[in-house]
Amino acid sequence: MSLLQKLSAVTGEAFAAEGLPAEMGHVRVSDRPDLAQFQCNGAMSAAKTAKKNPRAVAEAIVARLKDNPLFSKIEIAGPGFINLNVTDDVLSAFLKDNAKDGRYGFASFGAGETMVLDYGGPNVAKAMHVGHLRPCIIGDALRRMALFAGYKAIGDVHLGDWGTPMGMIISALEMLHPDWPYFDADFKGEYPKESPVTMADLEQIYPKASAACKEDPARMDAARRATMELQDGRAGYRALWKHFVAVSIAGIKVNYDALGVHFDLWKGEADVHDLIAPMVQDLEKRGFAVKDDGATIVPIKKNDDEKEFPPLILYKRDGAVMYGTTDLATIVERVQLYHPSKIVYVVDQRQSLHFEQVFRAARLSGIAPDAIELTHAGFGTMNGADGKPFKTRAGGVMRLEDMIEMATEAARTQMKEAGVAQDADAAEQERIANQVAVAAIKFADLQNQRQSDYIFDLNRFTSFEGKTGPYLQYQAVRVKSLLKKAEAQNDQSSEYLIVNDENRALALLLSELPEALALSLRNYTPHVLCDHVYRLANAFSSFYGNCHILSEPDAGIRANRLRLCRMVMEQLVLVLDLLGIVVPERM
Ligand code: ARG
């Protein structure tokens, strides 16, 4: 149990003893740290339910708590807020028992459950661009938190590999190279092992083919036909398409590796193709899917809808499958293979209607029983200084690798200016610059409310001051090197932390980890954890400024301060790791 859970349990008992619901004893960190460490606001709501005076309820609760040795202060404020402080001994004892494993009483509430996270979505044959940044940063952080909470967490890249763009490229290549064996319908030999196109070729071909299809209905027809034949299993098309996928994945992996983002599954829309026909048949048989003007749709309107809910289209009139079809079939597959209790989609919030449609169809038909939580964790846009979606200076789409390079360059400059890692050799400096750049990009993204847009500002993101990734890395490295020095001069840290005036604020902050982490994970809002780690780093920074540590003459005090430093270091490193941020060896 976390400290807050412990306090809530005690306060809850007092409510229960008054014949009031125990949940009302919920204790949280005080909004007014100048008045108290913790507060309980339950007397107000309890009074409403019990039709009593809130202050009288608060008094009754306080009367039951006032002799409890946990508390050093219990007061009623305003209409019935209960303000609480715990004794330093209680705090010390809590830390002693719960800090060792780094969890501070954080419960493995996901144990025995599986969470599937979908946070990739790059498309085959297209360069990865800045639009692919937010899903993977947020999704990978959530995956890490889910693992820490005991879930079996499965990250799936879910490539866009099955739509019309594939047919556009195939038909464009067929025009250019009609002699390739892939286009000979009677070809019986083995197709070449080497891809006839590179990633660079595909990046060139796709935009041209797509533009041609927009202009010329005949080209569009050919592309549609090729898509259908590909999906129907035409061998040459499939063989060619496999090359597209392989060269694309190689390029995609380079980008995700550069960001330190991990996926457990490298599946794509195409993987569920064989599940689609039986799924649609089943939906038709059970009356959930119907024919509509030649198309096959799932009507999902409800009577009390406040907005328009267009049906989910499973087959278009020409028989092609849609984005929603593969997403629905992917739920079928995920349920079958992984038995998840949660499926989370970290995808641009502009796709919210799409997910509402897919989720409704899945729920109505029982493809996703109610016990499975389906969440679209949508996010806002990363904008340029002009407040519009971030572009290159020339107004084009910025490639992800270019952006990472830009950030690395900014990190090099900031490191020079701040005098960071300047005595390291060139190779190490470069490694640190990369780590700083990635931390800058990730933290700048994660610290925002997920749904908000934010403005891309590399100078600010890479700064070693302020609420930034590099600032947090710097603080973590600073504590680490302090501890190394202590070790070198044979200074021991005490076995556990004795809480006193000088370190109480930091000790309390350390104990808040479980709530910050649980909130972040349950609501898919990593910014809560970002706030926590930033407050911790700041509090440490002032502690460090105010107290001598290595030069403290009293060995007992020094050992206690070192113990605190160790706890701070461990928590900084842990939280940064959960956010996907690496702490450099030195800075
Ligand atoms: N490939 C899609 C796109 O480019 C994103 C996929 C997101 N995940 C999903 N299961 N729909 O928009």
Side-chain angles (χ1 to χ4, degrees):
M1 260 199 250
S2 71
L3 184 59
L4 277 171
Q5 284 169 329
K6 222 173 237 176
L7 299 178
S8 297
V10 170
T11 314
E13 264 169 41
F15 275 79
E18 287 297 313
L20 298 164
E23 316 83 78
M24 293 190 171
H26 178 74
V27 171
R28 57 195 184 92
V29 172
S30 172
D31 292 335
R32 291 283 309 271
D34 53 324
L35 296 182
Q37 296 166 350
F38 304 99
Q39 65 186 66
C40 169
N41 301 350
M44 267 86 72
S45 31
K48 213 177 262 166
T49 343
K51 301 207 165 51
K52 283 187 180 160
N53 173 307
R55 194 124 188 143
V57 173
E59 269 157 22
I61 301 298
V62 166
R64 289 189 179 270
L65 293 177
K66 73 176 190 316
D67 296 325
N68 193 313
L70 275 176
F71 301 111
S72 59
K73 178 170 105 172
I74 305 181
E75 277 170 7
I76 302 174
F81 296 105
I82 302 171
N83 284 337
L84 303 162
N85 280 0
V86 297
T87 68
D88 287 343
D89 284 348
V90 165
L91 197 50
S92 294
F94 172 80
L95 294 174
K96 178 174 184 242
D97 292 341
N98 293 286
K100 268 192 226 92
D101 58 359
R103 301 179 74 93
Y104 294 84
F106 178 75
S108 290
F109 57 76
E113 289 183 36
T114 298
M115 186 188 297
V116 174
L117 296 122
D118 183 318
Y119 51 88
N123 297 311
V124 161
K126 294 191 214 171
M128 283 186 79
H129 55 79
V130 292
H132 297 114
L133 196 62
R134 297 212 68 189
C136 76
I137 290 177
I138 300 169
D140 191 49
L142 294 172
R143 181 187 63 83
R144 289 161 180 270
M145 291 179 214
L147 281 174
F148 192 72
Y151 285 95
K152 176 161 194 245
I154 304 178
D156 184 2
V157 73
H158 198 71
L159 300 174
D161 59 0
W162 210 226
T164 329
M166 299 300 106
M168 290 178 175
I169 300 173
I170 292 174
S171 58
L173 284 173
E174 186 156 12
M175 284 173 61
L176 289 171
H177 308 282
D179 52 313
W180 283 4
Y182 305 100
F183 304 123
D184 174 0
D186 301 322
F187 183 74
K188 289 277 168 309
E190 238 184 73
Y191 296 104
K193 289 225 159 43
E194 274 289 301
S195 173
V197 286
T198 64
M199 188 59 209
D201 297 333
L202 289 174
E203 281 176 29
Q204 294 264 323
I205 296 166
Y206 173 67
K208 279 194 204 139
S210 153
C213 289
K214 255 196 208 120
E215 266 168 32
D216 181 353
R219 290 282 303 260
M220 192 62 181
D221 263 358
R224 287 226 177 88
R225 224 173 317 114
T227 310
M228 289 291 299
E229 289 186 66
L230 167 73
Q231 296 183 350
D232 281 347
R234 178 167 160 172
Y237 285 7
R238 286 276 176 118
L240 186 55
W241 168 83
K242 277 199 182 129
H243 288 306
F244 302 165
V245 174
V247 295
S248 300
I249 287 184
I252 289 168
K253 280 196 170 151
V254 172
N255 280 286
Y256 284 135
D257 283 350
L259 290 168
V261 164
H262 169 82
F263 289 98
D264 303 286
L265 300 177
W266 283 82
K267 296 196 168 216
E269 295 165 359
D271 280 279
V272 297
H273 182 73
D274 293 343
L275 297 179
I276 291 176
M279 172 184 83
V280 177
Q281 272 162 24
D282 170 59
L283 290 176
E284 282 180 322
K285 203 167 75 205
R286 294 192 292 125
F288 293 108
V290 292
K291 286 268 181 326
D292 182 71
D293 196 17
T296 307
I297 63 168
V298 181
I300 50 171
K301 259 205 299 245
K302 289 183 194 156
N303 288 335
D304 52 354
D305 280 344
E306 278 167 14
K307 65 174 187 197
E308 225 7 73
F309 267 97
L312 184 78
I313 303 175
L314 297 175
Y315 287 126
K316 282 197 289 191
R317 250 193 300 177
D318 65 3
V321 302
M322 306 275 288
Y323 183 39
T325 322
T326 51
D327 259 331
L328 192 60
T330 304
I331 299 181
V332 172
E333 185 190 47
R334 286 173 178 165
V335 171
Q336 254 172 28
L337 293 183
Y338 314 116
H339 313 291
S341 59
K342 294 172 198 273
I343 308 179
V344 189
Y345 299 80
V346 186
V347 180
D348 195 315
Q349 65 193 0
R350 288 173 291 191
Q351 293 195 21
S352 68
L353 178 61
H354 165 77
F355 284 106
E356 277 177 299
Q357 290 177 297
V358 172
F359 293 174
R360 274 199 181 187
R363 285 270 185 257
L364 273 174
S365 60
I367 284 177
D370 288 344
I372 301 178
E373 180 196 288
L374 299 172
T375 304
H376 173 208
F379 51 79
T381 316
M382 187 176 84
N383 289 328
D386 59 358
K388 299 204 183 96
F390 184 69
K391 292 257 154 67
T392 60
R393 230 177 258 169
V397 182
M398 175 154 304
R399 296 167 66 96
L400 198 49
E401 46 196 312
D402 294 342
M403 170 181 170
I404 298 172
E405 178 44 41
M406 258 169 68
T408 310
E409 182 52 36
R412 288 185 201 109
T413 313
Q414 298 268 13
M415 283 165 61
K416 221 172 264 156
E417 270 167 25
V420 166
Q422 292 308 297
D423 52 352
D425 64 32
E428 192 182 1
Q429 269 191 28
E430 194 49 25
R431 192 169 62 239
I432 297 173
N434 271 316
Q435 290 168 333
V436 168
V438 172
I441 296 173
K442 285 187 172 175
F443 193 79
D445 191 298
L446 294 169
Q447 63 142 328
N448 294 288
Q449 299 249 12
R450 173 165 49 73
Q451 288 94 335
S452 311
D453 299 343
Y454 69 92
I455 291 187
F456 183 74
D457 179 352
L458 266 188
N459 267 339
R460 194 162 57 79
F461 296 176
T462 53
S463 169
F464 287 96
E465 277 159 37
K467 196 174 177 184
T468 68
Y471 168 74
L472 295 166
Q473 287 177 311
Y474 186 74
Q475 294 303 331
V477 171
R478 180 150 85 154
V479 207
K480 263 193 179 175
S481 67
L482 173 93
L483 289 165
K484 258 188 229 145
K485 260 187 222 149
E487 224 167 85
Q489 66 183 53
N490 245 337
D491 267 331
Q492 305 294 326
S493 79
S494 54
E495 202 197 317
Y496 78 101
L497 182 69
I498 297 165
V499 176
N500 55 31
D501 276 340
E502 71 180 21
N503 65 23
R504 191 176 302 114
L506 257 172
L508 284 165
L509 262 177
L510 285 165
S511 77
E512 285 173 29
L513 174 75
E515 277 67 30
L517 187 47
L519 210 60
S520 279
L521 182 56
R522 288 191 197 276
N523 299 333
Y524 312 112
T525 49
H527 77 272
V528 178
L529 194 56
C530 291
D531 281 341
H532 172 74
V533 72
Y534 178 61
R535 289 203 296 146
L536 181 66
N538 266 344
F540 176 74
S541 185
S542 30
F543 176 83
Y544 188 86
N546 293 331
C547 295
H548 301 284
I549 300 173
L550 296 179
S551 57
E552 164 60 43
D554 181 307
I557 297 177
R558 193 166 68 235
N560 199 47
R561 288 182 185 160
L562 281 170
R563 176 68 202 141
L564 181 67
C565 290
R566 185 164 295 287
M567 293 168 80
V568 169
M569 186 274 283
E570 285 165 355
Q571 195 170 109
L572 285 177
V573 171
L574 168 72
V575 174
L576 289 174
D577 180 58
L578 293 174
L579 297 172
I581 293 175
V582 177
V583 176
E585 268 315 299
R586 61 164 177 173
M587 281 180 113

